[in-house]
Amino acid sequence: MENILAIETSCDETAIAIYNADRGLLAHQIYSQIELHKVYGGVVPELASRDHIRKVLPLIEQALELSNLSPQDLNAVAYTKGPGLIGALMVGATLAHSLAYAWQLPVLGVHHMEAHVMAVMLEERTPEYPFLALVVSGGHTMLLQVNAFGEYVLLGETLDDAVGEAFDKTGSLLGLLYPGGPALAKLAEQGDASRFDFPRPMTDRPGLDFSFSGLKTHAMNTIKQHALDDQTRADIACAFEDAIVDTLRIKCQRAIQQTNLSRLVIAGGVSANKKLRHFMREIMRSLQVDVFYPRHEFCTDNAAMVAYTACQRFQRGEKEGLEIEVKARWPIDGTAT
Ligand code: KG4
Ligand code: ZN
């Protein structure tokens, strides 16, 4: 009946969670820095690090209080070790190591993208292994074959912008505030899907890699060629979103054909997108593929997914050494700690 405390500070959310191996999630809090970064149009790394420092300890105190636990009840401290912003990661890593040292507990460093995939395991309905995972976040776009916990085969990834990044940049071109993803999706609801037809990048050649920077350029050129009234903005947002969703659908369908897997997990910040969720569920139903998503609040960054992942690793006897280590880049295949 292990209790794992997890700290997530890889980007612009300070999040803390406590997960119990038998009882599940005992507490989880997310403090979003969006308001802080909004005026700059994106995340400012130095400001992110400083804000994590301000928020992380009070959030830990609250999480312990909410779960009615004291540090003596904990069995391990976990943190997001990478990939992410190096300074932001360092805040979580340093604090996790310091607390673990003071409380005489083992410490575990978790892969952020592995945690995004594992977020789905916090739901009532969970996929059996093996399954296919599409991870779409602000920094990454990956198709993975997940054979078992900790066994990931990278089938494809983006060669340039991540999907969330493309949403954010196109949102900014349309005059939307950071993060552009949810704002663009909202604007697209008013759009006429038949007005513009955006390309589906890299779908005309074989393979499972992605490229989204051309789509952003296509959006930019369309914006330049038209008077940007509200309807046109919505129509462009709609065409952009449709192109992203359809491109992801084509690549998932191809990966399913290639692997013969019949379960698909869609995770990461962009998996909160309603059109993507609805469209994928419909298409995959017709292909008899079962689709799994984390609940909305566990699609974007959170510590619950980190705590769950750390618990699995803890139960396998894994732990970190005393050296404080973070990784701005960290391939997911061949992960472990
Ligand atoms: O996973 P996440 O919280 O952070 C990273 O690990 O990067 O993902 C954040 C990304 C942002 O680019 C944001 O615009 C995007 O997820 N996002 C969305 C939606 N909600 C968040 N993109 C499209 N539609 C949404 N509803
Ligand atoms: Zn993330």
Side-chain angles (χ1 to χ4, degrees):
M1 146 106 191
E2 295 92 3
N3 291 311
I4 314 287
L5 171 83
I7 305 170
E8 155 66 43
T9 62
S10 67
C11 190
D12 60 345
E13 262 92 29
T14 318
I16 301 296
I18 300 176
Y19 183 82
N20 178 284
D22 298 323
R23 292 161 57 207
L25 203 57
L26 302 183
H28 90 94
Q29 284 132 301
I30 304 173
Y31 172 79
S32 170
Q33 301 178 351
I34 283 178
E35 288 306 317
L36 179 72
H37 300 292
K38 227 174 198 170
V39 283
Y40 303 99
V43 178
V44 183
E46 178 61 22
L47 293 183
S49 312
R50 291 186 201 185
D51 208 45
H52 285 311
I53 292 173
R54 274 192 286 272
K55 295 293 175 338
V56 72
L57 265 176
L59 283 177
I60 289 176
E61 279 168 2
Q62 279 172 27
L64 285 168
E65 210 174 285
L66 277 174
S67 53
N68 245 330
L69 296 179
S70 67
Q72 290 85 339
D73 301 317
L74 297 174
N75 299 83
V77 181
Y79 69 99
T80 301
K81 182 170 165 177
L85 301 171
I86 202 92
L89 289 167
M90 274 309 280
V91 176
T94 313
L95 193 70
H97 273 272
S98 310
L99 291 176
Y101 187 75
W103 295 337
Q104 298 187 319
L105 295 173
V107 60
L108 292 125
V110 171
H111 193 293
H112 183 77
M113 304 316 289
E114 176 184 34
H116 267 306
V117 175
M118 288 302 137
V120 80
M121 299 301 184
L122 293 161
E123 301 307 318
E124 228 164 76
R125 203 177 72 91
T126 57
E128 268 176 47
Y129 296 103
F131 57 80
L132 196 68
L134 172 70
V135 199
V136 274
S137 75
H140 294 81
T141 302
M142 299 189 294
L143 259 169
L144 297 168
Q145 180 169 332
V146 182
N147 289 325
F149 177 81
E151 287 177 33
Y152 312 104
V153 182
L154 183 66
L155 302 174
E157 62 186 332
T158 183
L159 303 178
D160 40 58
D161 290 357
V163 178
E165 193 179 355
F167 262 104
D168 294 340
K169 287 178 177 170
T170 306
S172 159
L173 292 171
L174 288 168
L176 301 169
L177 288 177
Y178 177 83
L184 188 149
K186 194 152 190 285
L187 180 63
E189 284 172 15
Q190 315 302 323
D192 170 3
S194 63
R195 177 148 171 224
F196 298 110
D197 192 15
F198 278 30
R200 276 53 173 158
M202 286 188 62
T203 52
D204 55 354
R205 50 181 131 152
L208 295 172
D209 283 334
F210 304 89
S211 163
F212 292 106
S213 70
L215 203 51
K216 174 195 65 195
T217 311
H218 190 92
M220 189 167 70
N221 292 335
T222 312
I223 288 167
K224 277 189 191 149
Q225 287 155 11
H226 294 82
L228 218 53
D229 55 83
D230 284 351
Q231 190 56 49
T232 304
R233 286 170 71 241
D235 294 345
I236 292 173
C238 186
F240 173 84
E241 188 178 39
D242 282 352
I244 294 264
V245 169
D246 200 34
T247 303
L248 295 176
R249 188 268 304 167
I250 292 167
K251 292 292 162 107
C252 283
Q253 225 169 313
R254 203 176 277 178
I256 286 160
Q257 250 167 16
Q258 192 177 306
T259 58
N260 254 329
L261 292 170
S262 59
R263 288 173 291 274
L264 171 67
V265 168
I266 308 184
V270 183
S271 68
N273 184 279
K274 271 193 221 148
K275 202 184 263 180
L276 176 70
R277 288 171 92 97
H278 182 73
F279 185 69
M280 283 295 212
R281 189 155 271 151
E282 290 300 303
I283 296 282
M284 293 302 155
R285 185 176 295 147
S286 68
L287 298 172
Q288 291 178 333
V289 171
D290 212 356
V291 187
F292 298 83
Y293 295 102
R295 77 193 74 161
H296 198 277
E297 63 179 330
F298 293 160
C299 289
T300 44
D301 288 349
N302 65 87
M305 64 185 192
V306 180
Y308 173 86
T309 309
C311 187
Q312 305 312 301
R313 295 207 170 270
F314 179 75
Q315 290 179 330
R316 285 163 173 74
E318 292 181 25
K319 63 176 180 177
E320 299 259 307
L322 283 177
E323 191 185 340
I324 299 177
E325 195 190 10
V326 295
K327 298 177 182 222
R329 290 168 172 274
W330 189 7
I332 194 168
D333 41 356
T335 339
T337 36

